[in-house]
Amino acid sequence: MKNKPKKIGVGLVGFGTVGQGVAALLSDAESPATAKTGVHLRLLRICDVDLERPREVAVDSALLTSRLEDILEDEDISIGIELIGGVDGALAVVEKLLRAGKDVVTANKALLASHGAELLKLAESVGKQIRFEASCAGGIPLIGALEEGLVANRIDGLKGIVNGTCNYILTSMTEKQESFSRALSEAQEAGYAEADPTLDINGMDSAHKLAILAMLAFGTQVSLDNIYVEGIDRIEQTDLAFAAELGYVMKLLAIGEVHPEGISLRVHPTFLPRGSLLAQVGGVYNAVSVYGHATGETLYYGMGAGRMPTASAVMADVIALARGPDSCRCRSLSEWTGRKLPIVSIEDIESRYYIRVTALDEPGVMAKVSGVLGSKQISLSAILQHESEPAKPVPVIIMTHLAREGSVREALAEISELDVVSEHPVCIRVAEESV
Ligand code: HSE
């Protein structure tokens, strides 16, 4: 005899961009998820503080409530989805959902990066799960890959583009010469940016995601303080143009690497060789490359933000919970709360560098600048200067071979003190191999 479809009640907290996408998928009478899994999900309640704002997705008004208790107290709801964003309010919602005996799905990377360990402990103590596929890289099933598809691998490193808004901005500035502010407005209008887009452009959203990915990949607790973060807020068109001239494309990368001494975690703008795969990831797309000891490199690509891609990831977790207890998940997650690998400081990282020095166009300038670099054991691989009007400061571009970050920082501090240099040099890391 055929099994009867399993009916699972779901409560949604947060009816914004992604919440509406989830409501649309949950209300789809032709749901591919139901057809594939036999699980029949029922959206029983949608809670939001603002029920007046017009929405693009229509739902039965009887589902709407501004009282979280309507979800907490509904015994037919076994899964709560948190999509309100932010940290403090969301923390309270997730704790209440778990304590009310609901499994939780969240897309909230800021919450997980700052309170992940304590929430996982709480979930374990009440015998519930918290799942978060949508927290990293939008619609790409990256967390599932780390936890399941790559489970046989020791992960030696990962790197990628994990913020769709920044990638959209950098792509528009590079390909259409758009201004930073116009590109950001477009990303906001498309629903890619965070409620506070500062978190996107200052790199913190990428850092939140890197904290989660690194915890899963390397089986270690990570605090945000362990991550070196530089955003794209100070990027200038000049450097994008020089990048193009030198055969590079700028991307904001999140990088986690295993070293003999520990792990290094960083988010920063990076010049990638134009022909590399990551360099060709444009617009709101994300891509993350993961190095497993058995697989070698694997690459995950897709829409990193936006209503439906993110809703798809939320639904993957809801379906996984509805299908039954997950044997794989809790074990790897409980390591978050235990092991803490040493962190390798950014000063000890080696990279190639692009350095833009704004200097007077007069005899002896290059000798002074390259003298400082040489004194720090930094070897130059290329130098570029265009002819300019006499007596005006001119940009001089210096590309280095591999150098230690600490030495580069010391050199830049000395160069900025030179009387022939008019401003602090711009410095951007250059990825040496093509991924
Ligand atoms: N603001 C985020 C981004 C949304 O642009 O990638 C997805 O996490």
Side-chain angles (χ1 to χ4, degrees):
M1 201 175 80
K2 240 180 148 184
N3 284 341
K4 276 177 75 178
K6 210 169 167 185
K7 290 195 174 180
I8 303 286
V10 177
L12 173 60
V13 187
F15 198 34
T17 303
V18 180
Q20 290 177 72
V22 171
L25 291 177
L26 281 169
S27 315
D28 181 359
E30 309 278 306
S31 164
T34 305
K36 288 179 195 175
T37 63
V39 171
H40 184 77
L41 298 167
R42 291 186 301 152
L43 178 56
L44 297 181
R45 280 288 182 177
I46 300 174
C47 175
D48 198 292
V49 284
D50 177 4
L51 297 174
E52 302 304 319
R53 188 159 40 98
R55 304 302 207 279
E56 288 164 34
V57 172
V59 291
D60 178 354
S61 61
L63 298 184
L64 298 172
T65 178
S66 54
R67 296 179 67 248
L68 182 63
E69 290 73 22
D70 289 338
I71 291 179
L72 300 177
E73 291 164 9
D74 188 334
E75 291 184 358
D76 289 332
I77 293 179
S78 56
I79 300 172
I81 306 173
E82 180 279 308
L83 295 175
I84 63 172
V87 176
D88 295 338
L91 177 62
V93 166
V94 171
E95 286 176 343
K96 284 180 185 169
L97 287 168
L98 289 169
R99 290 206 167 97
K102 322 286 183 199
D103 288 310
V104 172
V105 176
T106 178
N108 194 326
K109 52 264 161 153
L111 174 66
L112 292 164
S114 47
H115 296 282
E118 68 196 71
L119 285 175
L120 286 158
K121 268 190 195 158
L122 173 61
E124 213 165 10
S125 72
V126 297
K128 293 289 147 193
Q129 282 200 46
I130 172 163
R131 296 185 68 111
F132 42 87
E133 179 64 72
S135 64
C136 296
I140 308 173
L142 181 58
I143 288 179
L146 284 172
E147 288 207 316
E148 290 163 28
L150 297 174
V151 71
N153 286 263
R154 186 186 60 241
I155 305 297
D156 297 325
L158 56 87
K159 77 170 164 204
I161 298 162
V162 292
N163 185 275
T165 301
C166 287
N167 206 43
Y168 184 92
I169 293 171
L170 289 174
T171 306
S172 299
M173 287 177 75
T174 303
E175 293 179 2
K176 297 191 261 172
Q177 282 73 49
E178 261 186 11
S179 70
F180 186 99
S181 55
R182 184 172 156 75
L184 172 58
S185 303
E186 285 173 9
Q188 285 177 293
E189 279 159 29
Y192 302 148
E194 296 304 296
D196 174 4
T198 315
L199 291 174
D200 294 298
I201 62 178
N202 69 8
M204 281 315 294
D205 179 79
S206 297
H208 293 149
K209 293 164 180 168
L210 180 59
I212 296 166
L213 295 174
M215 286 190 269
L216 289 173
F218 308 133
T220 179
Q221 262 192 71
V222 175
S223 88
L224 286 170
D225 299 342
N226 299 146
I227 305 178
Y228 173 80
V229 187
E230 256 176 53
I232 62 164
D233 33 356
R234 282 174 295 166
I235 292 303
E236 295 177 39
Q237 276 287 4
T238 311
D239 298 305
L240 298 178
F242 276 119
E245 187 173 347
L246 292 160
Y248 292 99
V249 175
M250 181 186 285
K251 296 291 175 192
L252 183 71
L253 290 193
I255 303 171
E257 285 170 332
V258 178
H259 305 259
E261 313 79 33
I263 54 169
S264 64
L265 301 167
R266 51 211 172 98
V267 171
H268 52 67
T270 310
F271 281 168
L272 294 165
R274 189 184 288 130
S276 69
L277 288 175
L278 287 182
Q280 291 167 52
V281 174
V284 70
Y285 281 83
N286 283 190
V288 179
S289 167
V290 181
Y291 299 79
H293 86 284
T295 55
E297 186 183 1
T298 52
L299 182 66
Y300 305 85
Y301 169 83
M303 292 270 279
R307 172 175 293 163
M308 296 315 290
T310 312
S312 159
V314 170
M315 288 296 290
D317 279 342
V318 174
I319 292 282
L321 288 169
R323 291 178 97 175
D326 178 343
S327 55
C328 163
R329 168 141 296 203
C330 284
R331 175 162 313 174
S332 66
L333 287 187
S334 60
E335 288 187 4
W336 284 23
T337 54
R339 197 158 79 126
K340 198 157 190 186
L341 293 172
I343 299 295
V344 176
S345 149
I346 184 76
E347 305 259 333
D348 294 321
I349 297 297
E350 283 206 328
S351 175
R352 295 188 58 219
Y353 294 84
Y354 158 101
I355 298 169
R356 172 163 60 85
V357 179
T358 305
L360 294 178
D361 194 6
E362 61 181 39
V365 169
M366 269 321 294
K368 289 182 182 169
V369 172
S370 60
V372 174
L373 292 166
S375 73
K376 307 287 176 194
Q377 305 303 314
I378 299 165
S379 172
L380 315 188
S381 65
I383 297 175
L384 171 68
Q385 180 189 328
H386 293 302
E387 283 191 295
S388 69
E389 289 171 41
K392 276 204 161 176
V394 58
V396 179
I397 307 303
I398 297 162
M399 303 293 288
T400 77
H401 287 295
L402 272 185
R404 193 180 148 271
E405 171 107 8
S407 308
V408 171
R409 290 182 180 203
E410 285 170 19
L412 295 182
E414 279 188 32
I415 290 170
S416 65
E417 295 297 312
L418 294 174
D419 52 2
V420 291
V421 168
S422 56
E423 45 190 78
H424 197 278
V426 170
C427 179
I428 295 165
R429 295 161 195 87
V430 180
E432 53 168 345
E433 89 263 36
S434 59
V435 176

